[in-house]
DNA sequence: GTGGTCTAGACCACA
DNA sequence: GTGGTCTAGACCACA
């Protein structure tokens, strides 16, 4: 898989990396057990500091997306539910609040925003696991 | 109109202020030419730092929502587009991508994610008049 | 409250800091809404790098123990359940495995280890929330 | 005796090896003077790096569990205490403190924590003979 | 002032 | 080689 970073973006670099890996996992591009590039290698590719990649990997480990083994590398973990229903909703809401604020700022209305999300979700074609 | 600020919220205070003014404009609660409270006055009302209100106003001026007239205060400006259609979509898409990866790794599916966005949008009552 | 760091310890410094704050919270020394020292101030006190303190705070934020507000500081958050039952057990087990390995290395047997844990728990006198 | 290694485990491989040998000694499965497989042979059996086995053996030698006799291999040593009683307790307490803060912030209470430790200890069958 | 991000560079544990 | 931790120092967003 190909990870890319947009330096001028609002999103922190480590967030961009983590999000792209999340997307690759939910879209099936990365499967359980698949190895990820090493921290140093990916850092070199993206021309960012290894600490930044490590931060992204650490977040994904905490959220149960990755497993790391010192000396061996990082691998896609078996999917498991880490957060309570309430916590999951809290996190989803926080992400949605950001989108709503951005849509509002850009002048999109309710229906346009919903329609655009629907379109993008349908493109991914992700089914409930 | 009444602006309210929740200090413990995830959203920065200046964001909360700017978003509420934007919503008031979109919903027709505020019309072109309507005056806004002065930075100082609003800051006093909301019990926040004047810099914070100034930052919200500055963003709205930059985006063409407000106009300031030296010595007279700030007013709702005539709507004008700052970004091209393509640029607006590109920015919305970036925000939506983040929501999608977050939602899906949290285990929400297409319908749940859409439904939650719909719910939140309806609560805010963000619709073009 | 007084936080202390043992430089020669096996435990990472950021882990020591986070654990001590956790203990202060569960023992009631720190209550909901209580402010914590700023990252920079605590770093100065402990003579460690601010990044290290920030890392501890970030972990506590993720685990729902703290809330940070940019520009205002860090505060003890209202207790909430973040993790699923399975995840909580997974984390407890990981911690217990470390203790068991340490006890074994030090030559303590089953009963001695259990007894010591009981003793320490009773001293804390913590009731189910 | 049969040593087994779980590569995906949280515990480092050298820890798993050392702990299993310690348990075999404590439970009487291995007695003073019993020979251990050579580093190379055990590494081959477990399909791990010889350095890893060597590290486990080195720790056990340091702690007085094993003795190596040049050219003859490694043997279970006569039990001797490396740390004073006070030092042993100090180290156990440090490990227990971490478990306690982890358990309590996860929302486990005194009895649940004790019960889980008991369960895990019984499973491992760690008792002085 | 506050917390958050990032870099450059070092050192450690582990395999 | 792998990931994890820490420091020193810079810069940013926010209040």
């Amino acid at each position: 898989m190909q990870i890319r970073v947009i330096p001028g973006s609002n999103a922190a670099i480590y967030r961009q990396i983590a999000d792209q890996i999340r997307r690759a996992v939910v879209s099936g591009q990365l499967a359980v057990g698949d190895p990820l590039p090493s921290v140093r290698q990916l850092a070199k590719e993206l021309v960012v500091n290894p600490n930044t990649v490590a931060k992204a990997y650490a977040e994904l480990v905490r959220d149960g997306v990755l497993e790391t083994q010192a000396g061996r590398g990082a691998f896609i973990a078996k999917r498991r539910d880490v957060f309570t229903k309430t916590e999951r909703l809290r996190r989803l809401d926080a992400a949605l609040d950001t989108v709503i604020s951005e849509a509002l700022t850009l002048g999109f209305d309710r229906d346009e925003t919903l329609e655009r999300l629907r379109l993008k979700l349908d493109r991914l074609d992700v089914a409930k696991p």
Side-chain angles (χ1 to χ4, degrees), chain A:
Chain A
M1 73 163 300
Q2 187 57 33
I3 294 177
R4 267 184 305 176
V5 154
I6 303 170
S9 161
N10 288 323
I13 296 175
Y14 87 92
R15 283 239 54 81
Q16 297 182 44
I17 296 171
D19 280 354
Q20 285 176 63
I21 294 172
R22 283 177 199 275
R23 265 197 292 282
V25 171
V26 294
S27 73
Q29 252 183 93
L30 285 174
V32 174
D34 281 355
L36 266 78
S38 82
V39 167
R40 286 166 175 81
Q41 188 191 323
L42 184 53
K44 210 177 206 175
E45 266 178 51
L46 302 178
V47 196
V48 301
N49 194 287
N51 286 338
T52 303
V53 176
K55 189 169 184 176
Y57 279 23
E59 179 183 289
L60 294 171
V61 167
R62 287 190 311 265
D63 288 359
V65 176
L66 290 190
E67 273 172 4
T68 54
Q69 290 173 37
R72 294 208 45 228
F75 306 86
I76 303 297
K78 187 158 167 298
R79 205 195 179 299
R80 69 174 197 272
D81 286 333
V82 170
F83 301 110
T84 58
K85 178 84 186 162
T86 309
E87 182 67 12
R88 289 166 58 224
L89 215 47
R90 216 182 61 90
R91 291 178 173 231
L92 178 60
D93 279 354
L96 288 174
D97 283 343
T98 304
V99 154
I100 289 172
S101 177
E102 182 73 4
L104 183 67
T105 301
L106 293 167
F108 292 101
D109 70 11
R110 190 201 104 117
D111 290 348
E112 289 167 329
T113 308
L114 271 173
E115 190 45 49
R116 191 70 187 174
L117 177 59
R118 188 194 327 275
L119 186 82
K120 290 180 75 74
L121 282 168
D122 285 344
R123 261 190 223 145
L124 275 179
D125 190 27
V126 185
K128 189 97 178 179

